[in-house]
Amino acid sequence: MGLYMAPPPVALPTPNPSRKREGNLTLALIDYGAGNLHSVANALKAAGGRDIAVTADPVVVAKADRIVLPGVGAFGACAAALRAVDGMVDAIEQRVRREGAPFLGICVGMQLMADAGEELGEHPGLGWIPGRVRLLTPDDPSAKVPHMGWNDVRPTVPHPLIVAGEAYFLHSYAFESNGSGADVVATTDHAGPVVAAIARDNLAGVQFHPEKSQGYGLALLERFLTWRP
């Protein structure tokens, strides 16, 4: 199915106690002034998350069992904002890269996993997944940028978090792999293939917005809450 427009969903199911996870796991939702925090937090709660810490404290992040990095806006501004939080990048690197905590990047949060972004100049990313974030250039000039609305998510390889379905996208820049593309786990189509999800080991990122993707997004967050990479 191709892209079609629809208003972003605003209602999420009431949190279901039967979805609560065993144990007392802390999920750090990183607050660096560039994310859709309220909506993402509500979606995580509706998916069964508890002990969700919306935090700008690297000490909390360094102890979290799972970490979510949202992001809305320009790549360079988000990268600068993340690095402006004293100790945050070091805490994420330690907890995620060296200690293996499951990590989910959402929208620009996913893009920041790349080596660099080219939005409003060139800006370094976290360098976790080889690739660059570049302006969307649809094969059909009539295809509008930004890519906005509901569109298919098409898995390219099996991954425990990503299944086929439809999700809500809103972006003008997209991840492009620098190598074999082995870290690309799903694409969508916007007059040509566009990366929809990337993953490696305990890292995952989605270009779409799970918090706006109704049942599809809620199910993805549920899988993330129990993911043991």
Side-chain angles (χ1 to χ4, degrees):
M1 184 178 294
L3 176 71
Y4 67 98
M5 300 297 297
V10 294
L12 285 166
T14 300
N16 185 345
S18 68
R19 289 187 175 129
K20 287 191 174 181
R21 311 301 165 195
E22 295 181 359
N24 189 30
L25 302 181
T26 300
L27 187 151
L29 178 59
I30 298 178
D31 178 4
Y32 61 112
N36 193 13
L37 292 169
H38 181 72
S39 295
V40 176
N42 282 346
L44 285 164
K45 290 175 184 176
R50 55 181 175 176
D51 297 314
I52 297 169
V54 179
T55 182
D57 186 347
V59 174
V60 174
V61 172
K63 297 177 180 179
D65 297 287
R66 299 176 189 275
I67 296 172
V68 175
L69 180 67
V72 176
F75 183 104
C78 289
L82 185 63
R83 291 188 169 97
V85 181
D86 189 35
M88 183 60 78
V89 171
D90 288 342
I92 300 171
E93 289 278 354
Q94 176 66 33
R95 190 69 187 106
V96 174
R97 298 299 304 279
R98 291 187 279 279
E99 297 176 3
F103 173 92
L104 178 65
I106 296 174
C107 195
V108 180
M110 180 203 94
Q111 295 179 1
L112 291 175
M113 298 164 68
D115 294 318
E118 299 180 359
E119 187 172 1
L120 303 177
E122 181 161 329
H123 310 276
L126 293 169
W128 292 356
I129 302 289
R132 299 177 70 84
V133 177
R134 295 188 166 108
L135 180 67
L136 282 170
T137 54
D139 295 337
D140 181 352
S142 67
K144 294 182 179 180
V145 175
H147 170 211
M148 180 171 64
W150 291 86
N151 210 345
D152 293 335
V153 177
R154 301 171 180 172
T156 55
V157 295
H159 189 274
L161 295 187
I162 306 300
V163 300
E166 290 178 283
Y168 191 86
F169 291 81
L170 177 55
H171 62 115
S172 297
Y173 286 73
F175 177 89
E176 294 183 8
S177 175
N178 279 352
S180 65
D183 300 313
V184 175
V185 296
T187 62
T188 190
D189 183 83
H190 187 57
V194 175
V195 173
I198 57 178
R200 173 190 291 181
D201 302 326
N202 59 310
L203 311 172
V206 293
Q207 181 61 71
F208 53 87
H209 288 272
E211 76 280 8
K212 296 181 179 179
S213 297
Q214 296 186 343
Y216 179 84
L218 197 65
L220 182 146
L221 295 177
E222 286 187 39
R223 291 190 293 274
F224 176 71
L225 291 172
T226 56
W227 184 37
R228 298 185 181 276

